[in-house]
Amino acid sequence: MLIRDAEPGDWAAIWPFFHEIAAAGRTYTYPTDLTSEQGRAMWMLTAPGRTVVAVDETTGAVLGSAKMNPNHMGPASHIASASYMVAPEHRGRGVGRALGEHSIAWARAEGYRAMQFNAVVQTNTAAVALWHSLGFTTVGTLPEAYRLPDGSFTGLHIMHRHL
């Protein structure tokens, strides 16, 4: 697969899986009723952030996407953050891992000292396992900070990795 900077025209391929994932309400703190325009504004970043797509080199299909950005501004702007979405039909093929490795390399090359994820849903065990395998530690969990679609609550992990 090829990972490249997202272009404005890529939104048409990102939106269907972005919408499906956000609307499911299981893994992101985004409102479940986002419009395409709202989603685009949140996902398609400009500098100092960056949005990329993972593309099948044979078919050109967008397999997933990631956005990377400073986690905070000012004196805390040396810590990066990132978010990832993989099209459901392409899960289990290493897309998330490739996007994660790409974002770590990007953050390191940009001079960030660490990466921090502010809200990894505790029940998203595949993501938690992936980030742990890429060297992130869970530095804390906000208990019952995330309401699942069935009305039950789970925690939000704060995850961190030195670069």
PDB file of all heavy atoms in Angstrom, residues 63-100:
ATOM      1  N   LEU A  63      -7.934   2.886   1.458  1.00  0.00           N
ATOM      2  CA  LEU A  63      -8.112   1.838   2.458  1.00  0.00           C
ATOM      3  C   LEU A  63      -8.347   2.406   3.856  1.00  0.00           C
ATOM      4  O   LEU A  63      -8.994   1.781   4.691  1.00  0.00           O
ATOM      5  CB  LEU A  63      -6.879   0.935   2.496  1.00  0.00           C
ATOM      6  CG  LEU A  63      -6.382   0.390   1.160  1.00  0.00           C
ATOM      7  CD1 LEU A  63      -5.058  -0.328   1.342  1.00  0.00           C
ATOM      8  CD2 LEU A  63      -7.439  -0.514   0.542  1.00  0.00           C
ATOM      9  N   GLY A  64      -7.787   3.578   4.095  1.00  0.00           N
ATOM     10  CA  GLY A  64      -7.888   4.212   5.406  1.00  0.00           C
ATOM     11  C   GLY A  64      -7.265   5.583   5.344  1.00  0.00           C
ATOM     12  O   GLY A  64      -6.729   6.001   4.312  1.00  0.00           O
ATOM     13  N   SER A  65      -7.327   6.271   6.473  1.00  0.00           N
ATOM     14  CA  SER A  65      -6.804   7.632   6.536  1.00  0.00           C
ATOM     15  C   SER A  65      -6.348   7.931   7.953  1.00  0.00           C
ATOM     16  O   SER A  65      -6.795   7.295   8.911  1.00  0.00           O
ATOM     17  CB  SER A  65      -7.907   8.623   6.107  1.00  0.00           C
ATOM     18  OG  SER A  65      -7.432   9.945   6.103  1.00  0.00           O
ATOM     19  N   ALA A  66      -5.451   8.888   8.069  1.00  0.00           N
ATOM     20  CA  ALA A  66      -4.987   9.354   9.373  1.00  0.00           C
ATOM     21  C   ALA A  66      -4.807  10.860   9.311  1.00  0.00           C
ATOM     22  O   ALA A  66      -4.492  11.420   8.256  1.00  0.00           O
ATOM     23  CB  ALA A  66      -3.657   8.705   9.752  1.00  0.00           C
ATOM     24  N   LYS A  67      -5.033  11.485  10.454  1.00  0.00           N
ATOM     25  CA  LYS A  67      -4.712  12.908  10.579  1.00  0.00           C
ATOM     26  C   LYS A  67      -3.741  13.059  11.731  1.00  0.00           C
ATOM     27  O   LYS A  67      -3.836  12.355  12.734  1.00  0.00           O
ATOM     28  CB  LYS A  67      -5.965  13.757  10.770  1.00  0.00           C
ATOM     29  CG  LYS A  67      -6.670  13.536  12.079  1.00  0.00           C
ATOM     30  CD  LYS A  67      -7.790  14.551  12.254  1.00  0.00           C
ATOM     31  CE  LYS A  67      -8.364  14.452  13.653  1.00  0.00           C
ATOM     32  NZ  LYS A  67      -9.028  15.663  14.063  1.00  0.00           N
ATOM     33  N   MET A  68      -2.772  13.943  11.545  1.00  0.00           N
ATOM     34  CA  MET A  68      -1.719  14.151  12.529  1.00  0.00           C
ATOM     35  C   MET A  68      -1.613  15.638  12.807  1.00  0.00           C
ATOM     36  O   MET A  68      -1.766  16.446  11.893  1.00  0.00           O
ATOM     37  CB  MET A  68      -0.389  13.638  11.971  1.00  0.00           C
ATOM     38  CG  MET A  68      -0.422  12.171  11.626  1.00  0.00           C
ATOM     39  SD  MET A  68       0.811  11.710  10.388  1.00  0.00           S
ATOM     40  CE  MET A  68      -0.187  11.895   8.917  1.00  0.00           C
ATOM     41  N   ASN A  69      -1.341  15.983  14.048  1.00  0.00           N
ATOM     42  CA  ASN A  69      -1.336  17.396  14.424  1.00  0.00           C
ATOM     43  C   ASN A  69      -0.679  17.579  15.791  1.00  0.00           C
ATOM     44  O   ASN A  69      -0.522  16.616  16.536  1.00  0.00           O
ATOM     45  CB  ASN A  69      -2.777  17.916  14.477  1.00  0.00           C
ATOM     46  CG  ASN A  69      -3.686  17.029  15.291  1.00  0.00           C
ATOM     47  OD1 ASN A  69      -4.220  16.060  14.759  1.00  0.00           O
ATOM     48  ND2 ASN A  69      -3.857  17.321  16.570  1.00  0.00           N
ATOM     49  N   PRO A  70      -0.340  18.830  16.108  1.00  0.00           N
ATOM     50  CA  PRO A  70       0.112  19.083  17.480  1.00  0.00           C
ATOM     51  C   PRO A  70      -1.038  18.762  18.432  1.00  0.00           C
ATOM     52  O   PRO A  70      -2.202  19.041  18.133  1.00  0.00           O
ATOM     53  CB  PRO A  70       0.422  20.582  17.503  1.00  0.00           C
ATOM     54  CG  PRO A  70       0.488  21.007  16.073  1.00  0.00           C
ATOM     55  CD  PRO A  70      -0.340  20.047  15.290  1.00  0.00           C
ATOM     56  N   ASN A  71      -0.714  18.167  19.571  1.00  0.00           N
ATOM     57  CA  ASN A  71      -1.748  17.835  20.539  1.00  0.00           C
ATOM     58  C   ASN A  71      -2.289  19.081  21.232  1.00  0.00           C
ATOM     59  O   ASN A  71      -3.474  19.144  21.543  1.00  0.00           O
ATOM     60  CB  ASN A  71      -1.203  16.849  21.573  1.00  0.00           C
ATOM     61  CG  ASN A  71      -2.299  16.222  22.396  1.00  0.00           C
ATOM     62  OD1 ASN A  71      -3.338  15.843  21.875  1.00  0.00           O
ATOM     63  ND2 ASN A  71      -2.074  16.100  23.688  1.00  0.00           N
ATOM     64  N   HIS A  72      -1.429  20.035  21.462  1.00  0.00           N
ATOM     65  CA  HIS A  72      -1.805  21.303  22.106  1.00  0.00           C
ATOM     66  C   HIS A  72      -1.037  22.425  21.429  1.00  0.00           C
ATOM     67  O   HIS A  72      -0.192  22.193  20.573  1.00  0.00           O
ATOM     68  CB  HIS A  72      -1.481  21.283  23.600  1.00  0.00           C
ATOM     69  CG  HIS A  72      -2.305  20.297  24.368  1.00  0.00           C
ATOM     70  ND1 HIS A  72      -3.638  20.468  24.617  1.00  0.00           N
ATOM     71  CD2 HIS A  72      -1.971  19.109  24.929  1.00  0.00           C
ATOM     72  CE1 HIS A  72      -4.095  19.440  25.297  1.00  0.00           C
ATOM     73  NE2 HIS A  72      -3.098  18.596  25.506  1.00  0.00           N
ATOM     74  N   MET A  73      -1.309  23.640  21.849  1.00  0.00           N
ATOM     75  CA  MET A  73      -0.623  24.802  21.290  1.00  0.00           C
ATOM     76  C   MET A  73       0.437  25.302  22.267  1.00  0.00           C
ATOM     77  O   MET A  73       0.581  24.776  23.360  1.00  0.00           O
ATOM     78  CB  MET A  73      -1.649  25.911  21.010  1.00  0.00           C
ATOM     79  CG  MET A  73      -2.704  25.512  19.992  1.00  0.00           C
ATOM     80  SD  MET A  73      -3.887  26.811  19.645  1.00  0.00           S
ATOM     81  CE  MET A  73      -4.785  26.908  21.177  1.00  0.00           C
ATOM     82  N   GLY A  74       1.158  26.330  21.848  1.00  0.00           N
ATOM     83  CA  GLY A  74       2.104  27.021  22.722  1.00  0.00           C
ATOM     84  C   GLY A  74       3.150  26.108  23.321  1.00  0.00           C
ATOM     85  O   GLY A  74       3.761  25.302  22.616  1.00  0.00           O
ATOM     86  N   PRO A  75       3.363  26.233  24.634  1.00  0.00           N
ATOM     87  CA  PRO A  75       4.438  25.489  25.286  1.00  0.00           C
ATOM     88  C   PRO A  75       4.277  23.969  25.247  1.00  0.00           C
ATOM     89  O   PRO A  75       5.205  23.240  25.570  1.00  0.00           O
ATOM     90  CB  PRO A  75       4.390  25.986  26.736  1.00  0.00           C
ATOM     91  CG  PRO A  75       3.662  27.271  26.691  1.00  0.00           C
ATOM     92  CD  PRO A  75       2.713  27.183  25.538  1.00  0.00           C
ATOM     93  N   ALA A  76       3.106  23.475  24.846  1.00  0.00           N
ATOM     94  CA  ALA A  76       2.885  22.027  24.760  1.00  0.00           C
ATOM     95  C   ALA A  76       2.808  21.555  23.312  1.00  0.00           C
ATOM     96  O   ALA A  76       2.455  20.410  23.057  1.00  0.00           O
ATOM     97  CB  ALA A  76       1.613  21.643  25.507  1.00  0.00           C
ATOM     98  N   SER A  77       3.199  22.409  22.379  1.00  0.00           N
ATOM     99  CA  SER A  77       3.058  22.061  20.959  1.00  0.00           C
ATOM    100  C   SER A  77       4.128  21.092  20.465  1.00  0.00           C
ATOM    101  O   SER A  77       4.128  20.730  19.289  1.00  0.00           O
ATOM    102  CB  SER A  77       3.069  23.333  20.103  1.00  0.00           C
ATOM    103  OG  SER A  77       4.299  24.008  20.226  1.00  0.00           O
ATOM    104  N   HIS A  78       5.005  20.636  21.343  1.00  0.00           N
ATOM    105  CA  HIS A  78       6.028  19.666  20.952  1.00  0.00           C
ATOM    106  C   HIS A  78       5.541  18.216  21.099  1.00  0.00           C
ATOM    107  O   HIS A  78       6.297  17.279  20.861  1.00  0.00           O
ATOM    108  CB  HIS A  78       7.308  19.878  21.773  1.00  0.00           C
ATOM    109  CG  HIS A  78       7.087  19.723  23.246  1.00  0.00           C
ATOM    110  ND1 HIS A  78       6.504  20.712  24.007  1.00  0.00           N
ATOM    111  CD2 HIS A  78       7.351  18.693  24.082  1.00  0.00           C
ATOM    112  CE1 HIS A  78       6.423  20.299  25.260  1.00  0.00           C
ATOM    113  NE2 HIS A  78       6.928  19.076  25.324  1.00  0.00           N
ATOM    114  N   ILE A  79       4.277  18.049  21.465  1.00  0.00           N
ATOM    115  CA  ILE A  79       3.662  16.729  21.576  1.00  0.00           C
ATOM    116  C   ILE A  79       2.666  16.589  20.421  1.00  0.00           C
ATOM    117  O   ILE A  79       1.780  17.421  20.252  1.00  0.00           O
ATOM    118  CB  ILE A  79       2.933  16.538  22.921  1.00  0.00           C
ATOM    119  CG1 ILE A  79       3.859  16.862  24.103  1.00  0.00           C
ATOM    120  CG2 ILE A  79       2.337  15.137  23.019  1.00  0.00           C
ATOM    121  CD1 ILE A  79       5.068  15.965  24.231  1.00  0.00           C
ATOM    122  N   ALA A  80       2.813  15.527  19.646  1.00  0.00           N
ATOM    123  CA  ALA A  80       1.922  15.287  18.508  1.00  0.00           C
ATOM    124  C   ALA A  80       0.732  14.435  18.945  1.00  0.00           C
ATOM    125  O   ALA A  80       0.764  13.770  19.979  1.00  0.00           O
ATOM    126  CB  ALA A  80       2.678  14.556  17.394  1.00  0.00           C
ATOM    127  N   SER A  81      -0.294  14.453  18.137  1.00  0.00           N
ATOM    128  CA  SER A  81      -1.423  13.557  18.300  1.00  0.00           C
ATOM    129  C   SER A  81      -1.819  13.061  16.917  1.00  0.00           C
ATOM    130  O   SER A  81      -1.337  13.583  15.898  1.00  0.00           O
ATOM    131  CB  SER A  81      -2.600  14.256  18.978  1.00  0.00           C
ATOM    132  OG  SER A  81      -3.580  13.294  19.346  1.00  0.00           O
ATOM    133  N   ALA A  82      -2.669  12.078  16.869  1.00  0.00           N
ATOM    134  CA  ALA A  82      -3.125  11.554  15.582  1.00  0.00           C
ATOM    135  C   ALA A  82      -4.430  10.800  15.785  1.00  0.00           C
ATOM    136  O   ALA A  82      -4.752  10.382  16.900  1.00  0.00           O
ATOM    137  CB  ALA A  82      -2.063  10.635  14.975  1.00  0.00           C
ATOM    138  N   SER A  83      -5.161  10.659  14.700  1.00  0.00           N
ATOM    139  CA  SER A  83      -6.383   9.862  14.674  1.00  0.00           C
ATOM    140  C   SER A  83      -6.361   9.032  13.401  1.00  0.00           C
ATOM    141  O   SER A  83      -5.801   9.450  12.387  1.00  0.00           O
ATOM    142  CB  SER A  83      -7.624  10.759  14.679  1.00  0.00           C
ATOM    143  OG  SER A  83      -7.715  11.505  15.869  1.00  0.00           O
ATOM    144  N   TYR A  84      -7.015   7.885  13.453  1.00  0.00           N
ATOM    145  CA  TYR A  84      -6.940   6.926  12.357  1.00  0.00           C
ATOM    146  C   TYR A  84      -8.313   6.332  12.090  1.00  0.00           C
ATOM    147  O   TYR A  84      -9.060   6.047  13.033  1.00  0.00           O
ATOM    148  CB  TYR A  84      -5.988   5.779  12.724  1.00  0.00           C
ATOM    149  CG  TYR A  84      -4.676   6.248  13.286  1.00  0.00           C
ATOM    150  CD1 TYR A  84      -4.535   6.532  14.640  1.00  0.00           C
ATOM    151  CD2 TYR A  84      -3.574   6.422  12.452  1.00  0.00           C
ATOM    152  CE1 TYR A  84      -3.332   6.986  15.152  1.00  0.00           C
ATOM    153  CE2 TYR A  84      -2.362   6.867  12.964  1.00  0.00           C
ATOM    154  CZ  TYR A  84      -2.249   7.147  14.317  1.00  0.00           C
ATOM    155  OH  TYR A  84      -1.054   7.593  14.822  1.00  0.00           O
ATOM    156  N   MET A  85      -8.593   6.097  10.826  1.00  0.00           N
ATOM    157  CA  MET A  85      -9.795   5.366  10.442  1.00  0.00           C
ATOM    158  C   MET A  85      -9.438   4.445   9.286  1.00  0.00           C
ATOM    159  O   MET A  85      -8.792   4.869   8.331  1.00  0.00           O
ATOM    160  CB  MET A  85     -10.913   6.308  10.028  1.00  0.00           C
ATOM    161  CG  MET A  85     -11.545   7.053  11.172  1.00  0.00           C
ATOM    162  SD  MET A  85     -13.117   7.756  10.670  1.00  0.00           S
ATOM    163  CE  MET A  85     -13.549   8.653  12.144  1.00  0.00           C
ATOM    164  N   VAL A  86      -9.881   3.200   9.404  1.00  0.00           N
ATOM    165  CA  VAL A  86      -9.679   2.210   8.349  1.00  0.00           C
ATOM    166  C   VAL A  86     -11.052   1.781   7.856  1.00  0.00           C
ATOM    167  O   VAL A  86     -11.947   1.494   8.672  1.00  0.00           O
ATOM    168  CB  VAL A  86      -8.879   0.998   8.871  1.00  0.00           C
ATOM    169  CG1 VAL A  86      -8.766  -0.086   7.800  1.00  0.00           C
ATOM    170  CG2 VAL A  86      -7.491   1.440   9.333  1.00  0.00           C
ATOM    171  N   ALA A  87     -11.220   1.762   6.552  1.00  0.00           N
ATOM    172  CA  ALA A  87     -12.487   1.308   5.977  1.00  0.00           C
ATOM    173  C   ALA A  87     -12.778  -0.102   6.487  1.00  0.00           C
ATOM    174  O   ALA A  87     -11.895  -0.970   6.444  1.00  0.00           O
ATOM    175  CB  ALA A  87     -12.418   1.333   4.459  1.00  0.00           C
ATOM    176  N   PRO A  88     -13.984  -0.350   6.992  1.00  0.00           N
ATOM    177  CA  PRO A  88     -14.289  -1.661   7.586  1.00  0.00           C
ATOM    178  C   PRO A  88     -13.955  -2.842   6.689  1.00  0.00           C
ATOM    179  O   PRO A  88     -13.469  -3.871   7.173  1.00  0.00           O
ATOM    180  CB  PRO A  88     -15.796  -1.575   7.868  1.00  0.00           C
ATOM    181  CG  PRO A  88     -16.029  -0.116   8.096  1.00  0.00           C
ATOM    182  CD  PRO A  88     -15.100   0.585   7.132  1.00  0.00           C
ATOM    183  N   GLU A  89     -14.148  -2.709   5.403  1.00  0.00           N
ATOM    184  CA  GLU A  89     -13.870  -3.836   4.500  1.00  0.00           C
ATOM    185  C   GLU A  89     -12.378  -4.084   4.307  1.00  0.00           C
ATOM    186  O   GLU A  89     -11.984  -5.108   3.733  1.00  0.00           O
ATOM    187  CB  GLU A  89     -14.552  -3.628   3.141  1.00  0.00           C
ATOM    188  CG  GLU A  89     -14.034  -2.451   2.352  1.00  0.00           C
ATOM    189  CD  GLU A  89     -14.735  -1.125   2.650  1.00  0.00           C
ATOM    190  OE1 GLU A  89     -15.361  -0.966   3.716  1.00  0.00           O
ATOM    191  OE2 GLU A  89     -14.636  -0.227   1.789  1.00  0.00           O
ATOM    192  N   HIS A  90     -11.538  -3.190   4.827  1.00  0.00           N
ATOM    193  CA  HIS A  90     -10.085  -3.360   4.691  1.00  0.00           C
ATOM    194  C   HIS A  90      -9.393  -3.613   6.030  1.00  0.00           C
ATOM    195  O   HIS A  90      -8.163  -3.638   6.088  1.00  0.00           O
ATOM    196  CB  HIS A  90      -9.480  -2.150   3.991  1.00  0.00           C
ATOM    197  CG  HIS A  90      -9.990  -1.956   2.599  1.00  0.00           C
ATOM    198  ND1 HIS A  90      -9.773  -2.864   1.593  1.00  0.00           N
ATOM    199  CD2 HIS A  90     -10.747  -0.970   2.066  1.00  0.00           C
ATOM    200  CE1 HIS A  90     -10.357  -2.443   0.485  1.00  0.00           C
ATOM    201  NE2 HIS A  90     -10.961  -1.302   0.754  1.00  0.00           N
ATOM    202  N   ARG A  91     -10.163  -3.797   7.088  1.00  0.00           N
ATOM    203  CA  ARG A  91      -9.561  -4.088   8.396  1.00  0.00           C
ATOM    204  C   ARG A  91      -8.879  -5.445   8.378  1.00  0.00           C
ATOM    205  O   ARG A  91      -9.257  -6.334   7.624  1.00  0.00           O
ATOM    206  CB  ARG A  91     -10.628  -4.045   9.484  1.00  0.00           C
ATOM    207  CG  ARG A  91     -11.106  -2.649   9.743  1.00  0.00           C
ATOM    208  CD  ARG A  91     -12.025  -2.572  10.932  1.00  0.00           C
ATOM    209  NE  ARG A  91     -12.525  -1.207  11.040  1.00  0.00           N
ATOM    210  CZ  ARG A  91     -13.767  -0.904  11.363  1.00  0.00           C
ATOM    211  NH1 ARG A  91     -14.634  -1.847  11.655  1.00  0.00           N
ATOM    212  NH2 ARG A  91     -14.133   0.356  11.423  1.00  0.00           N
ATOM    213  N   GLY A  92      -7.871  -5.581   9.226  1.00  0.00           N
ATOM    214  CA  GLY A  92      -7.168  -6.846   9.342  1.00  0.00           C
ATOM    215  C   GLY A  92      -6.099  -7.052   8.279  1.00  0.00           C
ATOM    216  O   GLY A  92      -5.533  -8.130   8.179  1.00  0.00           O
ATOM    217  N   ARG A  93      -5.807  -6.008   7.503  1.00  0.00           N
ATOM    218  CA  ARG A  93      -4.803  -6.113   6.435  1.00  0.00           C
ATOM    219  C   ARG A  93      -3.555  -5.278   6.730  1.00  0.00           C
ATOM    220  O   ARG A  93      -2.734  -5.077   5.854  1.00  0.00           O
ATOM    221  CB  ARG A  93      -5.418  -5.650   5.111  1.00  0.00           C
ATOM    222  CG  ARG A  93      -6.540  -6.556   4.646  1.00  0.00           C
ATOM    223  CD  ARG A  93      -7.213  -6.061   3.383  1.00  0.00           C
ATOM    224  NE  ARG A  93      -6.271  -5.644   2.350  1.00  0.00           N
ATOM    225  CZ  ARG A  93      -6.636  -4.960   1.262  1.00  0.00           C
ATOM    226  NH1 ARG A  93      -7.882  -4.631   1.069  1.00  0.00           N
ATOM    227  NH2 ARG A  93      -5.732  -4.615   0.366  1.00  0.00           N
ATOM    228  N   GLY A  94      -3.434  -4.759   7.941  1.00  0.00           N
ATOM    229  CA  GLY A  94      -2.247  -3.985   8.309  1.00  0.00           C
ATOM    230  C   GLY A  94      -2.327  -2.509   7.982  1.00  0.00           C
ATOM    231  O   GLY A  94      -1.334  -1.788   8.114  1.00  0.00           O
ATOM    232  N   VAL A  95      -3.501  -2.036   7.584  1.00  0.00           N
ATOM    233  CA  VAL A  95      -3.650  -0.624   7.223  1.00  0.00           C
ATOM    234  C   VAL A  95      -3.447   0.272   8.447  1.00  0.00           C
ATOM    235  O   VAL A  95      -2.704   1.258   8.395  1.00  0.00           O
ATOM    236  CB  VAL A  95      -5.016  -0.360   6.564  1.00  0.00           C
ATOM    237  CG1 VAL A  95      -5.192   1.121   6.244  1.00  0.00           C
ATOM    238  CG2 VAL A  95      -5.190  -1.208   5.309  1.00  0.00           C
ATOM    239  N   GLY A  96      -4.092  -0.068   9.557  1.00  0.00           N
ATOM    240  CA  GLY A  96      -3.950   0.729  10.777  1.00  0.00           C
ATOM    241  C   GLY A  96      -2.512   0.772  11.259  1.00  0.00           C
ATOM    242  O   GLY A  96      -1.999   1.824  11.638  1.00  0.00           O
ATOM    243  N   ARG A  97      -1.847  -0.368  11.229  1.00  0.00           N
ATOM    244  CA  ARG A  97      -0.433  -0.422  11.645  1.00  0.00           C
ATOM    245  C   ARG A  97       0.422   0.459  10.735  1.00  0.00           C
ATOM    246  O   ARG A  97       1.262   1.220  11.199  1.00  0.00           O
ATOM    247  CB  ARG A  97       0.086  -1.854  11.639  1.00  0.00           C
ATOM    248  CG  ARG A  97       1.583  -1.964  11.983  1.00  0.00           C
ATOM    249  CD  ARG A  97       2.021  -3.397  12.139  1.00  0.00           C
ATOM    250  NE  ARG A  97       1.334  -4.029  13.249  1.00  0.00           N
ATOM    251  CZ  ARG A  97       1.671  -3.868  14.533  1.00  0.00           C
ATOM    252  NH1 ARG A  97       2.712  -3.112  14.862  1.00  0.00           N
ATOM    253  NH2 ARG A  97       1.005  -4.476  15.484  1.00  0.00           N
ATOM    254  N   ALA A  98       0.207   0.355   9.417  1.00  0.00           N
ATOM    255  CA  ALA A  98       0.994   1.165   8.475  1.00  0.00           C
ATOM    256  C   ALA A  98       0.752   2.657   8.713  1.00  0.00           C
ATOM    257  O   ALA A  98       1.700   3.451   8.697  1.00  0.00           O
ATOM    258  CB  ALA A  98       0.647   0.788   7.035  1.00  0.00           C
ATOM    259  N   LEU A  99      -0.497   3.043   8.938  1.00  0.00           N
ATOM    260  CA  LEU A  99      -0.794   4.449   9.219  1.00  0.00           C
ATOM    261  C   LEU A  99      -0.170   4.883  10.543  1.00  0.00           C
ATOM    262  O   LEU A  99       0.370   5.988  10.659  1.00  0.00           O
ATOM    263  CB  LEU A  99      -2.302   4.687   9.234  1.00  0.00           C
ATOM    264  CG  LEU A  99      -2.991   4.641   7.879  1.00  0.00           C
ATOM    265  CD1 LEU A  99      -4.508   4.564   8.042  1.00  0.00           C
ATOM    266  CD2 LEU A  99      -2.600   5.846   7.017  1.00  0.00           C
ATOM    267  N   GLY A 100      -0.222   4.009  11.552  1.00  0.00           N
ATOM    268  CA  GLY A 100       0.399   4.329  12.839  1.00  0.00           C
ATOM    269  C   GLY A 100       1.898   4.506  12.716  1.00  0.00           C
ATOM    270  O   GLY A 100       2.470   5.479  13.226  1.00  0.00           O
TER     271      GLY A 100
END
